[in-house]
Amino acid sequence: MKQWTVKPLNKAEINRIQNEYGISPILATMLQIRNINTREEIEDFLYNETEIASPFEIKDMKKAAERVSRAVENGELICVYGDYDADGVTSTALLYSYLETIGANVIFYIPSREAEGYGMNRKAVDTLKSKGVELIVTVDNGIAAVSEIDYANSLGIDTVVTDHHTPQETLPNAAAVVDLHQKDCPSRFKHLSGVGVAFKLMMALEGDADVLLENYADIVCLGTIGDIVELKGENRVFVKRGLQSLSDTDRPGIAALISASGLDDKPITVGNVSFQLVPRINAVGRLGRSENSVRLLLTDDPDEAEQIAGKLDSDNYERKKIESDILEEIDKKIKNNPLLVQRRVIVIDGLGWRPGVVGIVASRIKEIYGKPVIVIADDGKNAKASGRSVEGFPLHTAVAYCADLLQHHGGHPMAAGLSLESKNIAAFREKINEFAVKFGEMPFDTLNIDCKLKPEFISLDILDDLSLLQPYGAGNPTPVFGLYNMKIRDITPLKDDKHLKLLLTRDGVDVTAMLYNTSSREFGFKRGDVIDLAVNLEINNYNGKRYPSVKTADVKDSREDTRAVIESGRVFEDLNTGVIPDRQKLSEILPDRADFAAVYRFLRSNGGWHKKTEALLNETENISYGKIRVILEAMKQLGLIEMTEGIKQCDITLNSVSGKVDLESAAIIRKIKGEL
C-alpha cells in the first residue's frame, strides 16, 4: 500500500500561466505542478527540439577531444570501454560507431556483469594491453576507477574518462576526466546519462550537433530512457528527436529489435522503449552477454540483426522466467516466515539466485510492501545483493552502517549494491534493521496525484492538450489523476481473469477503467462499493477512431486514509518484530471484544478470506488496520484460524473450536497490555 498525496495547486499562478501564454487550463496546471513557470522554461520544455549547449562548457572536454583526435590521426588503437546495462551498451555502440566512421582504429570492451562486475578492472586492462590498445575511452563508467587507471598508466595506456556518476574525493589520474558532477565543472545541465556525455564528446570532435542527431538520435534516445534520467532540458531534445528516428529507423538492428518486441505497427513511445526495447537490451547484460546488444546496434546486415534480436528476445524471456521463479520462491519464504516483510528493511536471500536479476526483484518487492528492500543472491560461500529504497530513507547510508560485514558496497539514497560472505547474511539483516530503528520514523512509499479530476472532464481535448508534455519519463512523469467517490457498477474479468474492466459512475457520468494484472479474486472490492482511483489517461485508436482510455494505477476505499492505514499497520509490525512503539500508538491497536466479534463474524459468514489483508478494511467499519492485524494474529495464536500470507493475497480458514476461547490469553494481547 502507498500513501496517496495530491500535489498542492497554486490557482493564481495557474491562471497567470494560462492567460500570459495562451494555453489551456489543464496544460497550465501541469506546468505549474512541475514548477515550469517562466517563458524561457515553458518554451524550452514544450517546443525545444534542437538546442543543445556547447560541449566545451564541460570541464576537461577540450582535453578529451584533443587526446581522442590525436589517437585517430596517429592510428593508435582506441578501446571504448563500456558497461553492461542499456546506458552502457548504447554509449559503447554510439562512440564506437562514430569513431569507426571518422577512420579511427577502434575496438570496444564490455565487462561481464557476473565475472568482472561494473567498471574497469586490472585483468581487462591486461587484455587490452595484449591487443595493443594505447587509449581507453570509458563511457558510463570510469570516475571511480582510480587504481585501475593508475595501472593502465603504468602499462603506457592513456585513459579518457566520460561518466555521469558522482565522483569520489580522489579523481582518477586520466588524460581527461569528463564528468558533469565534478565540483568545478561549469556546465549548466547536470542530468545527462552516460550516452548523453558520450554524445557531447562526439559534438566536441564533430562540431555539428544537428548532423549528429540526424544520424545517432535513435541510439542516444534508447540509452537516455534506459538510464531513467530526468527528461528535461537536453534530455528532452535527445528523446524527442530519438523517438522520431526510432519510428522510421534505417538501422537494421533497431528495426529487428522493434519487430522482435511486437511493435511493428505501434507508435514508438517512451513507454514502449522503457518496457519493451530496453529490457531486451538489458536482459543479455543480466545474463552475461552484453556484446550481443552492442553488435545488434552496430550491424548493417538485416539477417544478422534478425538473428541477434531473436536471441535478445529469448534472453529477455529467460530473464523474466528467472525473475518469476525467484518471486515465487520469495512468496513461499514469506508464507513460511511473515516476519521477513514486517521488518523495517526487508532483507530476503536465496541460494542459487542470479545476481543479475535481484535488482529487478527488489524493485517489485518494494512496490508491493512500500519499504526498503534488499534481495541477496547467495552461492553458498559469497553473496551479491541489490537494494531499492523509498523516498526519504538513505539506503546507501544504511548499507554503509553495515560495512564491517561487507566485502564491497556502493550506491545512492534510492538504490544500493553490495557483496558479503554468506555467513554474514543473518547478521547483515539484523544490523541494517538496527540502523532503521535508530533512523526513527520510516518514510512511506507515496503515490503522487497531480490533481483531482471530475469524470465529466475526461475527453480527447484534454488528452490532446496533455500531449504537449510528452515525452514522459523521470522528472516529467505521466500525469496521474484522482477520480474520487466513484461507485462500482460492474466488474468484468478479461483474458482468463488476468485483468479487470471496471464500470464506474458518479453524478450520472459513467467511466470505464482498466485495471491490469489483477484478478477478480485479488480485487478487494465488489459491485456497489465506492472507491477512489489513481489513473493515467491515454488515447486509444480503434477502427480508425480515437477514444479516451482510463488506465488504473491504484485503487482504495473512498473512506480510507492511506497514511493512517499504513501507520496503524506499522505499529503492529514494529511490535511483532521486537520494536516497542510508544504507549499511545500501542493503545490505538488494542482491540476490544466487540472488534474481535465483528472480524470473526465476518470471516465465518464469508467462509474465510482469500484476498489481501488490507482489503478486510472494506468489510469491517471503524476497526483500524493495526487492530485487524492484532486480531488475526491473536486468532492464529489461539487456534481459531489458519492463516498464510504471501505476496498477492492472504488465505484465512476457520478452525472448528469447541467451547469458549479466552481472547486475553493470546500472546500478542498479553504483550500489548504488558507494555501499557
Side-chain angles (χ1 to χ4, degrees):
M1 179 179 288
K2 294 185 178 183
Q3 178 188 352
W4 286 31
T5 61
V6 181
K7 294 177 181 176
L9 299 180
N10 184 333
K11 292 185 178 179
E13 182 67 4
I14 291 169
N15 288 333
R16 182 193 69 78
I17 293 172
Q18 180 188 348
N19 295 329
E20 193 168 327
Y21 304 114
I23 57 180
S24 68
I26 190 67
L27 187 56
T29 299
M30 292 298 112
L31 291 172
Q32 186 270 316
I33 287 169
R34 284 157 170 73
N35 199 31
I36 300 169
N37 301 312
T38 68
R39 180 173 295 279
E40 182 181 0
E41 290 170 341
I42 290 171
E43 289 183 353
D44 179 67
F45 188 81
L46 296 180
Y47 308 118
N48 179 24
E49 294 187 6
T50 58
E51 188 175 333
I52 297 175
S54 167
F56 296 107
E57 284 187 359
I58 304 172
K59 182 186 176 184
D60 268 13
M61 184 62 82
K62 185 178 180 182
K63 286 184 184 178
E66 288 174 349
R67 182 63 187 91
V68 173
S69 293
R70 189 165 74 248
V72 174
E73 291 168 6
N74 295 337
E76 297 175 49
L77 182 58
I78 303 169
C79 176
V80 179
Y81 194 112
D83 185 30
Y84 37 70
D85 67 3
D87 189 21
V89 163
T90 53
S91 301
T92 304
L94 177 76
L95 188 56
Y96 174 90
S97 178
Y98 171 75
L99 290 175
E100 189 179 51
T101 299
I102 64 172
N105 183 17
V106 61
I107 62 173
F108 68 85
Y109 186 90
I110 304 279
S112 164
R113 183 180 197 128
E114 294 189 5
E116 297 174 83
Y118 170 78
M120 289 179 66
N121 63 82
R122 289 192 172 210
K123 188 176 287 187
V125 174
D126 285 336
T127 299
L128 298 179
K129 176 65 177 177
S130 70
K131 293 177 181 290
V133 168
E134 295 178 75
L135 174 64
I136 295 171
V137 182
T138 70
V139 287
D140 193 32
N141 73 98
I143 196 66
V146 176
S147 64
E148 291 81 4
I149 289 174
D150 282 344
Y151 181 64
N153 289 336
S154 73
L155 299 179
I157 302 174
D158 282 349
T159 304
V160 167
V161 172
T162 75
D163 202 350
H164 70 122
H165 296 99
T166 304
Q168 300 172 349
E169 284 189 22
T170 303
L171 294 175
N173 183 24
V177 177
V178 177
D179 189 313
L180 302 95
H181 298 289
Q182 294 182 75
K183 290 179 181 177
D184 55 348
C185 178
S187 60
R188 290 168 290 172
F189 188 71
K190 302 288 187 181
H191 303 292
L192 294 175
S193 60
V195 75
V197 179
F199 183 84
K200 285 294 189 100
L201 174 59
M202 288 164 51
M203 281 180 63
L205 293 165
E206 182 72 22
D208 191 334
D210 200 54
V211 170
L212 290 173
L213 283 172
E214 194 69 33
N215 288 288
Y216 298 105
D218 50 357
I219 296 179
V220 180
C221 174
L222 286 173
T224 300
I225 293 173
D227 205 52
I228 321 179
V229 289
E230 284 194 355
L231 292 193
K232 295 180 179 178
E234 294 175 0
N235 289 332
R236 281 181 70 78
V237 177
F238 292 148
V239 172
K240 280 185 177 182
R241 291 286 295 270
L243 290 175
Q244 295 167 11
S245 296
L246 287 168
S247 298
D248 188 28
T249 185
D250 59 0
R251 217 177 289 276
I254 290 179
L257 183 63
I258 288 171
S259 182
S261 303
L263 299 175
D264 272 331
D265 300 317
K266 296 180 180 178
I268 303 299
T269 64
V270 171
N272 285 336
V273 173
S274 295
F275 298 112
Q276 300 295 332
L277 304 185
V278 167
R280 285 166 170 79
I281 294 171
N282 276 333
V284 290
R286 298 184 190 283
L287 303 178
R289 300 184 281 265
S290 294
E291 294 87 352
N292 284 340
S293 290
V294 179
R295 291 194 185 96
L296 178 72
L297 297 176
L298 295 175
T299 185
D300 291 322
D301 182 346
D303 291 335
E304 183 186 20
E306 185 177 348
Q307 182 181 7
I308 297 174
K311 186 68 175 69
L312 264 62
D313 192 51
S314 64
D315 283 349
N316 190 50
Y317 178 83
E318 181 184 350
R319 186 270 305 168
K320 288 195 285 188
K321 178 67 168 61
I322 292 169
E323 180 188 324
S324 176
D325 289 346
I326 292 175
L327 283 168
E328 190 174 323
E329 195 173 337
I330 287 174
D331 188 52
K332 291 177 182 176
K333 287 176 179 286
I334 292 169
K335 287 176 178 176
N336 290 331
N337 181 12
L339 294 181
L340 278 174
V341 292
Q342 292 180 17
R343 306 293 294 268
R344 293 190 171 198
V345 178
I346 298 172
V347 179
I348 300 180
D349 62 284
L351 199 60
W353 292 351
R354 292 291 291 263
V357 303
V358 294
I360 301 176
V361 174
S363 294
R364 297 285 175 88
I365 301 297
K366 191 271 291 186
E367 283 296 308
I368 293 166
Y369 291 99
K371 295 180 177 184
V373 176
I374 293 175
V375 178
I376 303 175
D378 180 12
D379 69 8
K381 183 179 180 182
N382 293 294
K384 293 181 179 179
S386 189
R388 299 293 183 269
S389 193
V390 299
E391 194 74 43
F393 183 78
L395 189 60
H396 66 316
T397 306
V399 168
Y401 180 80
C402 310
D404 60 312
L405 297 170
L406 307 177
Q407 296 167 325
H408 303 285
H409 66 89
H412 52 81
M414 295 298 289
L418 59 100
S419 60
L420 71 167
E421 292 183 76
S422 303
K423 65 182 181 181
N424 289 331
I425 291 174
F428 171 74
R429 180 181 290 110
E430 295 304 316
K431 190 158 187 179
I432 198 166
N433 274 285
E434 178 185 289
F435 174 90
V437 172
K438 290 180 178 179
F439 182 78
E441 185 175 344
M442 293 290 286
F444 301 149
D445 204 11
T446 57
L447 174 66
N448 294 311
I449 294 172
D450 288 285
C451 64
K452 297 180 180 181
L453 189 68
K454 292 181 179 179
E456 58 263 34
F457 290 127
I458 297 173
S459 67
L460 287 173
D461 287 341
I462 275 186
L463 286 166
D464 286 336
D465 288 336
L466 290 173
S467 68
L468 288 172
L469 297 173
Q470 296 181 19
Y472 299 126
N476 179 41
T478 303
V480 179
F481 297 99
L483 297 178
Y484 283 74
N485 299 308
M486 304 295 294
K487 186 175 183 178
I488 301 176
R489 284 185 55 190
D490 199 11
I491 303 168
T492 305
L494 301 175
K495 289 200 172 181
D496 298 324
D497 204 15
K498 291 180 181 176
H499 315 299
L500 299 176
K501 182 169 74 172
L502 308 177
L503 179 59
L504 311 158
T505 189
R506 174 183 159 188
D507 299 332
V509 179
D510 289 348
V511 173
T512 298
M514 296 300 302
L515 178 60
Y516 293 103
N517 301 313
T518 300
S519 69
S520 55
R521 180 170 177 170
E522 295 161 356
F523 189 54
F525 302 94
K526 59 186 181 300
R527 291 181 185 87
D529 285 347
V530 179
I531 60 175
D532 300 336
L533 301 94
V535 302
N536 305 125
L537 303 180
E538 300 174 350
I539 294 176
N540 186 23
N541 292 285
Y542 184 71
N543 285 341
K545 292 186 177 181
R546 301 162 75 234
Y547 302 91
S549 173
V550 180
K551 183 179 176 182
T552 305
D554 201 4
V555 185
K556 71 177 185 69
D557 189 302
S558 287
R559 300 165 296 180
E560 188 175 283
D561 177 346
T562 51
R563 183 179 181 88
V565 172
I566 298 168
E567 282 183 335
S568 180
R570 288 193 175 178
V571 174
F572 163 78
E573 290 178 340
D574 273 352
L575 176 71
N576 221 26
T577 55
V579 181
I580 305 303
D582 67 50
R583 297 178 70 182
Q584 177 61 36
K585 290 181 178 179
L586 265 182
S587 66
E588 291 171 358
I589 67 165
L590 179 63
D592 58 26
R593 293 191 68 84
D595 296 328
F596 269 101
V599 173
Y600 188 77
R601 277 197 304 270
F602 170 75
L603 292 175
R604 187 173 57 191
S605 66
N606 195 62
W609 188 248
H610 302 286
K611 296 184 179 183
K612 288 187 175 182
T613 315
E614 55 262 32
L616 280 168
L617 282 164
N618 311 329
E619 310 294 344
T620 51
E621 286 192 52
N622 302 319
I623 304 177
S624 73
Y625 185 53
K627 282 185 179 180
I628 289 173
R629 297 305 308 244
V630 170
I631 290 167
L632 294 177
E633 185 70 18
M635 287 180 174
K636 188 167 66 169
Q637 291 172 354
L638 295 170
L640 295 172
I641 62 172
E642 299 295 330
M643 175 175 164
T644 56
E645 193 172 10
I647 288 174
K648 285 203 166 185
Q649 69 182 46
C650 173
D651 292 300
I652 300 173
T653 56
L654 276 70
N655 294 327
S656 298
V657 179
S658 58
K660 289 188 176 182
V661 175
D662 180 10
L663 300 175
E664 301 291 318
S665 67
I668 192 164
I669 300 297
R670 294 201 311 270
K671 187 173 185 179
I672 294 174
K673 290 193 170 182
E675 294 297 333
L676 293 175

